[in-house]
Each structure stands twice: as structure tokens, then as C-alpha cells.
Amino acid sequence: MNGYAIETSGLTKRYGNVEAVTDLTLAVKPQAITGFIGRNGAGKSTTIKMLLGMVRPSAGSGRVLGDNIDVASESVALRRKLAYVGEDKGLYAYLTVGAMIQFMRSFYGDWRPDVEQRLLRMYQLPLERKVKALSKGMRTKLALLLALSRRPELLILDEPTDGLDPVSIEELLQTLSGLGSEGTTIFFSSHQLADVERVADDILMIDRGRIVMDMSLDEMREKYRRITLGFDHQPQPDNFQMPGVERVRCSGRQITVMASSLADEVVARGRSLGAVSVDVAPVSLREVFLETVQGDSQSR
């Protein structure tokens, strides 16, 4: 496993003539929080289901916590070492909240009653109410309680904030940060990029079934810059097509460059071409995401 919590090589999933995931090769570090981001239909949920052994790959291989994802016996053993909260939440609608907790508690020797009680108070879950009568947000909270009350080596979350109110989202992010500091590996997909940016150590970005970014958040913050150059004449965008430049936009006498590296060289190029104003600013994960996936779409 080379020390990775999750590792795939050429992982591919086809549905008929459609490839949901294409030649996916990635490595997720242990004891880190990895944000898995992408548009709807990008392949996030399919990837997660393959990692869990819920969907068989069409090609390629993968290992999670050292277990092969396409070997049935290893896939079953794997599920005892990790906790998963999916989009469908995986709850039994006919059980009450209390019965659901009791049922799940009986399966795991790593169950933490103190965490269970703390989350019951925090989430204000009604023990006597049936799961089918819970709101979407309450079902999400129950699923999170069932996952977080254990002590899994790996926690996989697919859109964990779906249906949560702002207070509950804040509580969840604090919980994830705490688990990360305790050594639990966390792999989660989310459309809420501001939330990902707050807690993630590493970023994996997928678009149209392919990985388009794989780096630490610190590395992204260090490398990416938005450079705005003002001229007293009409500039030529082609002059800024150079290594490290991801996107060039021109508006009147102003050029805006998104650079993933070599920002100083972009500035030097601008000054040599007569720029009368230069502004260099860091960029958010949201900006990098939009530039990357929009650029990927335009290049196809």
C-alpha cells in the first residue's frame, strides 16, 4: 500500500458506452483530511462506491487500508475498519432513532458511548421517532452520529452537509477537524467549497471522470495567484500564454491572469509590455475550481 490509506491505479467504471470514471489514479495520505470535489456527475459518488466495494470497477485496481476493493472477502473486512455516510444515508426507515442506534452499536467494538451521547444532545435527535418521519437534515445528523460514534481508521463522507443548517454544519466541521487531529483519515466529497477549504489538508478535483487536480491546500495557496494588469493601450492576451498560466481574460485595457505557478514571471512580462498597474492576489479554492473545470470543459 506504500503507506497510503486509499490508492487506485487506472480505476475505470463504464455504464454501457458511458465512462463515469476514467483511468483514475490517486493516492490519499493517512491521517489527513482530503476533500474530493467536482461538479454533479463528475464521478465522485461512483468513485466512492467502487472504493467501498459497492460497485465493481470495469478496469483498474484499488486498495483501501491495504484491502483490495475488488476482492469480496477483503471488501467485507474493510467495512469494519471504516465508517461511511452516503447520499442515501443507509438508514432503516421503519426503526426508531433509538433502535437504529442500538442496532448499529451492537456491531462495533470501537463504539464510543460518550460520543454518542454528546452527539445526541448536540443534534437533538428524538429517540422515539421513526427514521422515516425525520426531516432530511435530521436523517443526515443520525447518519453522522452512527459514523462518528465509532473509532474508524477511515471516515468516508459523500456530501455530509446535505440538509444541515448553518449551526450543524459548523459543528460538523469542528468535529471533522478534531478527528483529523486525532489521526483518523477523512475522505469527503462536497459541493460546499468554502467548507472544504476550512478543514481539508489535501484536494482531489475530478471532472468528467478524470482527476484534474491533486495537491495539498497549502500548495494551492502558495502557487495560485490572480494577477490583474492595467495598460494605457489595448493589450494582447496572447502575450501572456506562457508556462504556469491557466487562464487569460481581457476586458478593455485590463488583463487578468490566473497563474498556477511563476507569478513573478507573469508580472515581469506585464511590466515589459508597459503595464501601468499591477495587482497580485491569492485565490480561493472556489476560484481555482471554477477556472479548472470551466477550462477543462472549454478544451474538450
Side-chain angles (χ1 to χ4, degrees):
M1 190 175 63
N2 296 326
Y4 293 115
I6 301 171
E7 187 175 19
T8 71
S9 178
L11 200 63
T12 299
K13 181 61 184 177
R14 303 183 190 92
Y15 294 101
N17 294 324
V18 177
E19 283 197 352
V21 175
T22 304
D23 195 27
L24 199 72
T25 298
L26 57 83
V28 173
K29 293 182 295 190
Q31 302 181 9
I33 302 177
T34 298
F36 189 40
I37 62 176
R39 295 182 287 189
N40 285 334
K44 300 190 303 298
S45 293
T46 299
T47 299
I48 287 173
K49 288 176 181 177
M50 285 193 287
L51 296 177
L52 294 167
M54 299 165 63
V55 171
R56 290 186 64 83
S58 303
S61 62
R63 292 170 69 84
V64 177
L65 299 178
D67 293 321
N68 291 295
I69 62 175
D70 53 355
V71 177
S73 59
E74 294 188 34
S75 179
V76 171
L78 170 64
R79 295 186 197 186
R80 300 191 67 84
K81 297 188 286 186
L82 61 78
Y84 166 61
V85 176
E87 290 180 296
D88 59 4
K89 305 301 179 281
L91 304 172
Y92 295 112
Y94 58 88
L95 291 178
T96 64
V97 169
M100 185 78 212
I101 294 172
Q102 185 176 7
F103 175 73
M104 294 297 293
R105 186 195 301 138
S106 66
F107 282 96
Y108 298 103
D110 58 359
W111 193 269
R112 296 181 289 178
D114 58 324
V115 175
E116 172 197 321
Q117 291 302 312
R118 177 171 60 80
L119 293 177
L120 275 174
R121 292 191 298 271
M122 180 184 297
Y123 293 156
Q124 299 181 350
L125 289 165
L127 291 174
E128 301 305 319
R129 188 177 302 174
K130 288 195 173 182
V131 170
K132 64 182 179 182
L134 296 177
S135 66
K136 184 177 182 180
M138 281 292 187
R139 288 196 300 274
T140 297
K141 290 178 180 180
L142 175 57
L144 288 168
L145 180 147
L146 297 175
L148 298 175
S149 292
R150 296 175 49 204
R151 198 184 298 272
E153 293 180 48
L154 170 64
L155 178 61
I156 296 181
L157 305 171
D158 195 356
E159 298 296 338
T161 60
D162 187 32
L164 295 182
D165 59 72
V167 172
S168 297
I169 291 173
E170 180 65 26
E171 292 168 345
L172 172 62
L173 295 179
Q174 291 179 8
T175 299
L176 294 182
S177 294
L179 288 172
S181 65
E182 292 172 6
T184 298
T185 303
I186 300 171
F187 184 77
F188 76 108
S189 75
S190 178
H191 290 113
Q192 305 303 319
L193 299 181
D195 296 340
V196 174
E197 191 164 14
R198 280 187 57 190
V199 300
D201 301 302
D202 299 312
I203 299 296
L204 282 169
M205 189 185 303
I206 186 171
D207 195 48
R208 302 190 183 212
R210 299 177 184 271
I211 292 293
V212 293
M213 176 180 286
D214 180 359
M215 66 173 59
S216 73
L217 197 56
D218 285 344
E219 184 181 4
M220 186 209 80
R221 288 168 174 157
E222 179 181 341
K223 288 186 173 182
Y224 275 80
R225 292 291 184 271
R226 183 179 62 257
I227 304 152
T228 305
L229 303 158
F231 295 84
D232 58 9
H233 58 275
Q234 184 66 45
Q236 297 299 315
D238 289 348
N239 288 328
F240 294 91
Q241 298 298 340
M242 51 194 294
V245 169
E246 301 295 327
R247 184 77 61 250
V248 180
R249 290 193 171 90
C250 183
S251 177
R253 296 181 178 181
Q254 182 172 286
I255 289 277
T256 301
V257 176
M258 174 73 79
S260 58
S261 63
L262 304 176
D264 289 344
E265 294 189 16
V266 175
V267 171
R269 174 71 59 85
R271 293 194 188 281
S272 72
L273 294 170
V276 295
S277 65
V278 177
D279 179 71
V280 180
V283 296
S284 67
L285 177 60
R286 178 179 181 276
E287 289 177 277
V288 173
F289 174 78
L290 290 174
E291 291 289 349
T292 303
V293 301
Q294 288 174 351
D296 186 59
S297 297
Q298 292 166 9
S299 66
R300 290 173 183 264

